[in-house]
């Protein structure tokens, strides 16, 4: 996870806090929730049938959709979203064309970090519902072919977790070693200079035993000691608990932070200060230590005890392709889908930058499946991050096309399909996210990208009937909402739906080879998704500039015989006269997806 800050005005929003970090259950679990294989509904189309027939695991062709449960749908009028709310919106997700949802943590938690501070790994927080509600979500999901992926927070617990309460109770408690406890360097001095991602020292003195504990994130999120075998066992058992209840996989939070240098070397200091006023440092001794991969292999083995090809997705902000590739594991035995933060954070419409990164990951040495996204609950939304302030809706469609036509498993974030925008709090007293409280005004926190889903124009956009939802509904909901956009064929939502349908109906778009084209073009990103076998290939042309552009494609070497492409989806509309391959014209920020033979 990386926090970027330091710039003022719009760019502060653009670059602000970026946290990276960055089955389907069968077998034993019938009692809790019947297995996926038993519940799958009849296939709805020929294309889906072909999809099912391939040998590939389901996650290779899935479109995953992240739900921030506090903000999706409130079913009981308390102002906070919940599991039954999500279940009530499954039809919407099915109609949109989603294959799996990843739900950010909904475990019991004091909510200091809104669920990323877990106080019980094997229960549901009453705020979000019950285990029965979870079971119902999984089984209703199955009826609609939508799998449920959970969030797992292995790096740290809440300080209210019974394990930590025991651990802090005495130096000799059997759970003492489940966390990272050290003596201060000298009285009043933390053990070394390590810093929390959320500001200030990563060490907290616990006066009861006069030792410091380590917390990579908030003080209330003490780090577990992954060198302790009992910790590993307890955590793998927690994974098993949810696999048995029908989880299709996990998104693993902050996994590159699991280990710290046992010799406590100081991290190198870098020039400048961060948004919290601390000196910048390189997290050399607390990030990406080699033992991380041993744990990832063990987690993968735990997942593979269950049928249905469970998936592991990692949050980890890998700085380059070599590091990202390591996440797949030397024998492809670690993470199936490492989230690609490099693509997410290009942060400008740059055809050369996207091309270079897409080319690199496509050829990754592990042969791993790329996993792209542009927005999540830690990043300002893509509508404003990539928008130019004038053509944001068109650019939102361009970004959708980029996400959903490349060779990858795409990950969407709730609301991106309707063009939700980042709506930061304007007053410090309204901030919910503690990093916004600590870092205000430079760091406004992550509330802006977590506002309630905008369903319609009724009170609070149909999200909640409470007097006040936990975060205010943005004013943009009057225009940008599911109901209004469903009725408008030119809306962002209608574009996403068409695109998702095309992804299902065109085998080349789903699993064709990725062949970059016209590679010196500074403005237009274009590529072919080459069909395996005889089918049509798909030409994708994305104009990332504010001017129309003309391209001379020569696709003979790629096996294309015809002289024109047949439009399947274009916006603004591109007529047949513009799709002659040797004189192909694409409007400003235009998207063209067409078939070629
Ligand atoms: C990454 C999560 O995405 C973020 O929301 C959270 O604050 C940190 N990890 C700590 O768990």
């Amino acid at each position: 996870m990386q926090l970027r800050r330091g710039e003022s005005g719009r760019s502060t929003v653009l670059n602000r806090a970026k946290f990276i970090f960055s089955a389907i259950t069968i077998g034993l679990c019938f009692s809790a929730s019947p297995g996926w294989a038993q519940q799958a509904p009849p296939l709805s189309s020929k294309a889906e049938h072909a999809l099912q027939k391939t040998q590939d695991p389901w996650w290779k062709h899935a479109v995953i959709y992240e739900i921030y449960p506090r903000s999706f749908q409130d079913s009981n009028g308390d102002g906070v979203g919940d599991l039954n709310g999500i279940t009530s919106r499954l039809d919407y997700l099915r109609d949109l064309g989603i294959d799996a949802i990843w739900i950010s943590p909904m475990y019991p938690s004091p909510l200091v970090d809104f669920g990323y501070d877990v106080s019980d790994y094997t229960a549901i927080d009453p705020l979000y519902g019950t285990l029965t509600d979870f079971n119902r979500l999984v089984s209703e999901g199955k009826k609609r072919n939508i799998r449920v992926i959970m969030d797992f927070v292995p790096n740290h617990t809440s300080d209210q977790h019974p394990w930590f309460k025991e651990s802090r109770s005495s130096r000799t408690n059997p759970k003492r070693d489940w966390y990272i406890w050290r003596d201060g360097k000298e009285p009043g001095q933390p053990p070394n200079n390590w810093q929390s991602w959320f500001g200030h020292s990563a060490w907290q003195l616990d006066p009861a035993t006069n030792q410091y504990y380590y917390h990579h994130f908030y003080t209330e999120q003490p780090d577990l000691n992954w060198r302790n075998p009992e910790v590993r066992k307890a955590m793998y058992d927690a994974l098993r608990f949810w696999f048995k209840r029908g989880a299709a996989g996990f998104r693993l939070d902050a996994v590159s932070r699991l280990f710290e240098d046992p010799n406590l070397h100081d991290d190198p200091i870098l020039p400048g200060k961060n948004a919290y006023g601390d000196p910048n440092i390189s997290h050399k001794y607390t990030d990406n230590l080699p033992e991380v991969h041993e744990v990832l292999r063990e987690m993968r083995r735990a997942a593979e005890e269950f049928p249905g090809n469970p998936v592991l997705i990692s949050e980890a902000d890998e700085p380059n392709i070599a590091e990202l590739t390591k996440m797949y594991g030397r024998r492809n035995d670690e993470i199936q889908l490492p989230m690609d933060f490099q693509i997410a954070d290009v942060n400008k419409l740059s055809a050369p930058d996207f091309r270079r990164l897409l080319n690199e990951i496509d050829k990754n040495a592990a042969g791993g499946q790329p996993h792209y996204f542009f927005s999540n609950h830690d990043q300002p939304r893509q509508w404003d991050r990539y928008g130019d302030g004038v053509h944001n809706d068109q650019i939102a469609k361009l970004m959708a096309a980029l996400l959903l036509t490349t060779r990858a498993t795409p990950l969407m974030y709730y609301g991106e399909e309707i063009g939700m925008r980042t709506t930061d709090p304007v007053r410090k007293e309204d901030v919910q996210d503690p990093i916004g409280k600590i870092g205000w005004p430079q760091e406004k926190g992550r509330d802006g990208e977590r506002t309630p889903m905008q369903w319609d124009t009724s009170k609070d956009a149909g999200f909640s009937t409470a007097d006040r939802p936990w975060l205010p509904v943005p004013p943009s909901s009057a225009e940008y909402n599911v109901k209004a956009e469903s009725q408008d064929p030119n809306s962002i939502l209608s574009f996403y739906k068409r695109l998702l349908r095309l992804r299902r109906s065109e085998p080349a778009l789903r699993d064709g080879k990725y062949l970059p084209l016209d590679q010196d073009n500074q403005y237009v990103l274009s590529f072919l998704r080459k069909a395996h076998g005889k089918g049509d290939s798909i030409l994708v042309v994305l104009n990332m500039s504010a001017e129309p552009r003309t391209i001379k494609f020569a696709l003979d070497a790629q096996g294309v015989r015809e002289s024109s492409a047949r439009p399947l989806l274009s916006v603004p509309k591109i007529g047949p006269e513009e799709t002659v391959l040797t004189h192909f014209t694409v409007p400003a920020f235009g998207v063209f997806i067409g078939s070629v033979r």
Side-chain angles (χ1 to χ4, degrees):
M1 170 167 325
Q2 217 162 45
L3 294 172
R4 295 214 189 136
R5 49 188 97 86
E7 286 130 344
S8 58
R10 185 163 180 271
S11 52
T12 302
V13 173
L14 301 189
N15 293 324
R16 139 163 84 77
K18 174 197 130 194
F19 294 93
I20 325 188
F21 273 74
S22 127
I24 321 214
T25 300
I26 314 195
L28 311 170
C29 38
F30 285 136
S31 57
S33 165
W36 179 270
Q38 278 68 23
Q39 291 282 307
L43 298 167
S44 57
S45 71
K46 240 165 77 186
E48 270 176 298
H49 186 62
L51 186 66
Q52 299 277 339
K53 276 200 321 196
T54 69
Q55 297 303 305
D56 288 336
W58 64 271
W59 46 262
K60 231 174 162 174
H61 302 296
V63 176
I64 305 175
Y65 183 97
E66 181 193 353
I67 291 181
Y68 197 66
R70 295 181 71 77
S71 296
F72 198 58
Q73 179 66 64
D74 173 16
S75 75
N76 60 358
D78 64 358
V80 174
D82 46 49
L83 291 176
N84 286 338
I86 299 173
T87 307
S88 73
R89 295 294 186 178
L90 285 173
D91 285 344
Y92 165 74
L93 295 172
R94 183 204 45 210
D95 296 346
L96 181 60
I98 295 306
D99 304 288
I101 51 176
W102 147 35
I103 309 180
S104 307
M106 55 213 182
Y107 311 105
S109 161
L111 300 175
V112 171
D113 192 14
F114 293 109
Y116 285 96
D117 46 326
V118 178
S119 55
D120 182 351
Y121 286 95
T122 54
I124 298 287
D125 194 300
L127 192 62
Y128 299 122
T130 61
L131 259 181
T132 309
D133 298 335
F134 175 79
N135 293 341
R136 197 166 75 84
L137 171 64
V138 172
S139 73
E140 290 298 317
K142 279 174 187 156
K143 291 181 193 160
R144 295 162 179 84
N145 247 336
I146 295 177
R147 291 168 159 91
V148 177
I149 297 171
M150 312 271 293
D151 209 315
F152 192 60
V153 189
N155 180 68
H156 46 270
T157 68
S158 159
D159 63 352
Q160 298 307 305
H161 196 295
W163 299 340
F164 187 70
K165 288 186 176 170
E166 277 193 55
S167 182
R168 82 188 319 177
S169 66
S170 83
R171 288 192 181 207
T172 54
N173 183 281
K175 291 224 165 34
R176 185 69 169 182
D177 185 52
W178 281 42
Y179 293 84
I180 316 283
W181 291 98
R182 293 288 183 277
D183 292 329
K185 220 185 224 165
E186 50 191 73
Q189 289 287 306
N192 65 11
N193 75 347
W194 293 350
Q195 279 176 21
S196 158
W197 277 96
F198 291 159
H200 313 323
S201 173
W203 296 100
Q204 178 69 22
L205 180 66
D206 194 38
T209 56
N210 197 28
Q211 272 197 315
Y212 288 80
Y213 67 86
Y214 175 72
H215 58 93
H216 198 99
F217 297 97
Y218 293 124
T219 313
E220 294 86 348
Q221 293 170 299
D223 273 44
L224 283 162
N225 176 13
W226 275 86
R227 293 196 175 92
N228 182 318
E230 289 174 23
V231 167
R232 292 192 186 191
K233 180 171 182 313
M235 294 302 272
Y236 303 151
D237 284 348
L239 292 178
R240 292 183 181 104
F241 177 91
W242 294 106
F243 279 131
K244 286 176 191 169
R245 278 162 183 77
F250 285 91
R251 173 266 192 187
L252 306 172
D253 185 71
V255 280
S256 65
R257 319 287 150 123
L258 294 184
F259 290 90
E260 302 75 34
D261 170 27
N263 300 316
L264 302 192
H265 284 101
D266 273 344
D267 273 333
I269 305 279
L270 303 174
K273 294 213 166 174
N274 63 26
Y276 306 112
D278 304 321
N280 285 325
I281 61 168
S282 147
H283 292 262
K284 178 172 175 187
Y285 293 107
T286 57
D287 190 15
N288 256 332
L289 270 60
E291 291 114 305
V292 165
H293 294 280
E294 193 181 303
V295 170
L296 295 180
R297 282 192 291 276
E298 289 173 0
M299 287 184 176
R300 176 73 175 268
R301 284 205 289 275
E304 287 183 347
E305 290 166 19
F306 296 85
N309 286 312
V311 68
L312 295 182
I313 299 172
S314 66
E315 188 204 23
D317 184 15
E318 300 305 334
N320 53 49
I321 184 67
E323 289 301 315
L324 184 66
T325 302
K326 283 188 196 162
M327 300 304 287
Y328 295 106
R330 287 215 190 106
R331 297 187 175 76
N332 266 305
D333 51 358
E334 297 181 24
I335 297 296
Q336 292 106 326
L337 296 177
M339 294 166 73
D340 190 333
F341 279 84
Q342 290 181 76
I343 297 269
D345 292 331
V346 168
N347 286 341
K348 56 181 192 270
L349 285 181
S350 162
D353 288 1
F354 280 117
R355 185 181 300 123
R356 179 178 57 78
L357 293 169
L358 291 171
N359 291 355
E360 277 182 6
I361 182 76
D362 194 68
K363 293 192 180 53
N364 72 80
Q369 170 78 350
H371 188 34
Y372 302 145
F373 69 100
F374 291 112
S375 294
N376 70 18
H377 63 283
D378 294 327
Q379 325 243 122
R381 285 183 175 272
Q382 68 208 56
W383 188 89
D384 10 50
R385 196 150 46 91
Y386 284 93
D388 65 352
V390 179
H391 307 94
N392 289 33
D393 287 2
Q394 176 60 28
I395 293 172
K397 294 174 186 170
L398 181 86
M399 297 309 289
L402 177 59
L403 182 72
L404 295 168
T405 60
T406 40
R407 189 185 75 78
T409 299
L411 171 60
M412 293 170 55
Y413 182 50
Y414 82 94
E416 79 175 57
E417 74 276 21
I418 53 169
M420 274 178 68
R421 62 194 66 181
T422 317
T423 312
D424 284 326
V426 283
R427 305 180 317 169
K428 185 176 180 188
E429 53 270 39
D430 296 332
V431 175
Q432 296 277 346
D433 183 11
I435 66 163
K437 294 180 184 163
I438 303 171
W440 189 271
Q442 208 174 339
E443 170 54 70
K444 293 192 168 67
R446 298 161 289 177
D447 295 352
E449 53 263 33
R450 298 174 175 181
T451 57
M453 178 68 177
Q454 300 165 189
W455 295 104
D456 54 37
T457 49
S458 65
K459 181 185 145 24
D460 286 324
F463 163 70
S464 173
T465 54
D467 288 344
R468 250 183 99 174
W470 81 285
L471 280 177
V473 171
S476 63
S477 63
E479 203 185 329
Y480 292 77
N481 63 69
V482 169
K483 188 164 178 213
E485 293 192 41
S486 300
Q487 289 154 5
D488 173 3
N490 297 319
S491 67
I492 299 174
L493 178 60
S494 297
F495 184 75
Y496 265 89
K497 282 189 180 168
R498 284 203 291 272
L499 201 48
L500 285 159
R501 232 176 287 135
L502 202 58
R503 207 183 142 85
R504 275 172 190 259
S505 62
E506 294 299 322
L509 208 48
R510 222 174 35 241
D511 55 12
K513 262 201 227 156
Y514 161 84
L515 301 178
L517 303 172
D518 194 26
Q519 297 220 50
D520 293 326
N521 198 316
Q522 295 298 301
Y523 307 107
V524 181
L525 180 74
S526 46
F527 52 88
L528 202 64
R529 299 297 309 281
K530 176 100 178 101
H532 299 290
K534 287 204 200 108
D536 286 3
S537 293
I538 303 288
L539 174 67
V540 179
V541 186
L542 306 173
N543 183 354
M544 300 202 161
S545 74
E547 313 284 328
R549 303 281 167 189
T550 298
I551 307 157
K552 195 169 175 303
F553 286 117
L555 303 182
D556 308 17
Q558 284 81 13
V560 174
R561 302 271 167 266
E562 293 180 347
S563 54
S564 286
R566 267 177 299 278
L568 292 169
L569 180 57
S570 63
V571 61
K573 204 152 184 54
I574 300 181
E577 62 290 353
E578 285 139 340
T579 65
V580 175
L581 292 175
T582 50
H583 195 265
F584 191 102
T585 306
V586 58
F589 301 118
V591 172
F592 174 86
I593 305 168
S595 62
V596 285
R597 276 189 202 146

